[in-house]
Amino acid sequence: MTQEQIIKNCENLLEAGSEQNPLYQMLYTMMNMLMEMEAARITGSEKEEHNSDRTDYRSGTRNRRFDTRLGTFNLKVPKFRNSGYVPYFMQNRQRSEEALVSMVVQAYTNGVSTRKIKHLAESLGIDSISAGEISDMNKSLDEMVNAFQTAPLEKELPVIWVDAVYEKIRSGSHVKSMTVMIVKAINLEGKPEIIAIEAMENESEATYTEFFNKLKARGLEKVWLCVSDAHTGLQAAIRKCWTGSVWQRCKVHFMRNIMATVPKTQKESFGAELKKIWQQKQGKKQ
């Protein structure tokens, strides 16, 4: 599976354009840090630093919208007294957006090396990135990942959606395909949020049980409804870990399973009729 397919799967599952999405937050932080690097090169000075060799001065910010597959960002782009400035990643939107999102996905699932961050910055037009700047970005990303993975959870959640995508991840000196497990939840106030994203060796009852036990260690005790595909190991882990919870098969996966058996020439018409089943309104009880 390609990086593009993996990200697309995450989008479909998680409605990723959300500020509660940790990948969204990481990308937002990364873009702000990249703009600060560019600003330092334009002015010849770090922010609020007194420097006799300064080449320009900051003059506030302006709001700029930047659309990505992880959502829409409203960025505060620096303005300068003597220079016009548009972030490089906004000038070359498609290529830059792909590079940024790919880096965030890698950073979350397996961390990123200083070499990769240096290569990313140079590909976005930032030359001569310093070791200190690389270290700061790496540290910020690591701190965000750790904060999300250890954040306390509510004791009770009405609904969780569980799914997995596959990613090629470096482990030691080897690159191998691993399962990236993802959980989205709705809390008692009706607020949706992503509560877990974690790379595991494979999809099995054992790995899902281990995954759910980590959610329990963060404080989650009860789930009313678990929604997932029909993976038998996942269903077994749900029964074991969330006693009393109701399991429901994800309609998106169910529809994909059905459509896979439909001849190509009939997929469009059959799919339109199939959707009507899910769109039916419940009738009044007599």
Side-chain angles (χ1 to χ4, degrees):
M1 182 175 288
T2 67
Q3 186 78 31
E4 182 71 23
Q5 290 171 319
I6 292 164
I7 295 168
K8 186 64 179 177
N9 284 344
C10 288
E11 289 177 331
N12 293 337
L13 173 65
L14 303 173
E15 298 175 0
S18 165
E19 293 182 6
Q20 282 72 48
N21 187 338
L23 302 183
Y24 180 101
Q25 291 291 344
M26 289 172 70
L27 181 54
Y28 181 72
T29 296
M30 182 179 288
M31 288 190 293
N32 279 311
M33 295 186 77
L34 289 168
M35 285 192 293
E36 283 302 312
M37 291 179 193
E38 289 186 280
R41 282 153 180 75
I42 291 171
T43 61
S45 177
E46 298 294 333
K47 192 173 184 179
E48 299 180 355
E49 177 186 15
H50 296 287
N51 188 338
S52 59
D53 296 325
R54 180 183 289 275
T55 54
D56 206 339
Y57 294 84
R58 293 173 183 258
S59 183
T61 61
R62 68 182 185 281
N63 294 325
R64 288 291 298 269
R65 170 175 169 160
F66 186 57
D67 295 317
T68 76
R69 72 198 76 181
L70 290 182
T72 296
F73 296 83
N74 294 306
L75 300 174
K76 292 188 178 297
V77 177
K79 293 168 60 179
F80 303 95
R81 187 179 300 175
N82 302 315
S83 309
Y85 169 64
V86 177
Y88 191 84
F89 58 80
M90 286 187 171
Q91 298 177 41
N92 299 273
R93 285 176 178 263
Q94 184 174 353
R95 182 172 64 84
S96 298
E97 189 264 357
E98 290 176 357
L100 285 165
V101 173
S102 176
M103 179 65 73
V104 166
V105 172
Q106 291 182 51
Y108 192 89
T109 55
N110 200 42
V112 289
S113 64
T114 55
R115 178 183 59 80
K116 286 183 178 179
I117 290 180
K118 185 175 186 295
H119 177 73
L120 172 69
E122 291 175 346
S123 72
L124 298 178
I126 304 175
D127 298 321
S128 304
I129 182 172
S130 70
E133 288 171 325
I134 293 175
S135 177
D136 287 344
M137 181 174 286
N138 222 336
K139 182 180 178 181
S140 294
L141 294 176
D142 285 343
E143 287 176 348
M144 293 184 75
V145 170
N146 183 65
F148 173 76
Q149 291 179 336
T150 59
L153 298 175
E154 297 182 24
K155 289 185 178 181
E156 188 171 354
L157 291 172
V159 188
I160 63 171
W161 287 266
V162 186
D163 201 4
V165 294
Y166 287 86
E167 170 71 286
K168 291 187 181 297
I169 296 175
R170 179 171 294 278
S171 179
S173 58
H174 301 284
V175 175
K176 58 183 179 180
S177 178
M178 295 184 71
T179 304
V180 180
M181 299 182 181
I182 306 165
V183 180
K184 182 178 180 178
I186 291 181
N187 64 20
L188 292 171
E189 287 73 43
K191 177 183 176 183
E193 58 183 333
I194 298 166
I195 61 172
I197 304 174
E198 185 170 341
M200 304 288 283
E201 288 293 331
N202 53 56
E203 282 191 273
S204 67
E205 179 181 346
T207 55
Y208 272 115
T209 298
E210 179 184 352
F211 184 49
F212 291 150
N213 284 336
K214 290 181 179 179
L215 300 185
K216 287 185 172 184
R218 291 167 57 191
L220 181 58
E221 297 177 1
K222 182 179 180 181
V223 176
W224 301 358
L225 172 66
C226 296
V227 182
S228 73
D229 62 19
H231 190 284
T232 55
L234 174 52
Q235 292 180 66
I238 288 172
R239 290 193 296 269
K240 180 188 295 185
C241 298
W242 309 117
T243 304
S245 175
V246 176
W247 174 78
Q248 177 177 302
R249 187 174 184 180
C250 172
K251 70 178 183 181
V252 174
H253 287 88
F254 190 28
M255 288 182 68
R256 287 175 182 168
N257 295 151
I258 295 172
M259 293 300 293
T261 67
V262 178
K264 185 175 180 180
T265 56
Q266 300 177 26
K267 283 186 184 294
E268 185 175 351
S269 59
F270 186 86
E273 292 299 315
L274 185 60
K275 286 180 180 179
K276 293 179 181 179
I277 297 174
W278 308 113
Q279 295 169 349
Q280 290 294 319
K281 294 183 179 179
Q282 185 174 359
K284 294 182 179 179
K285 294 183 179 179
Q286 300 296 325

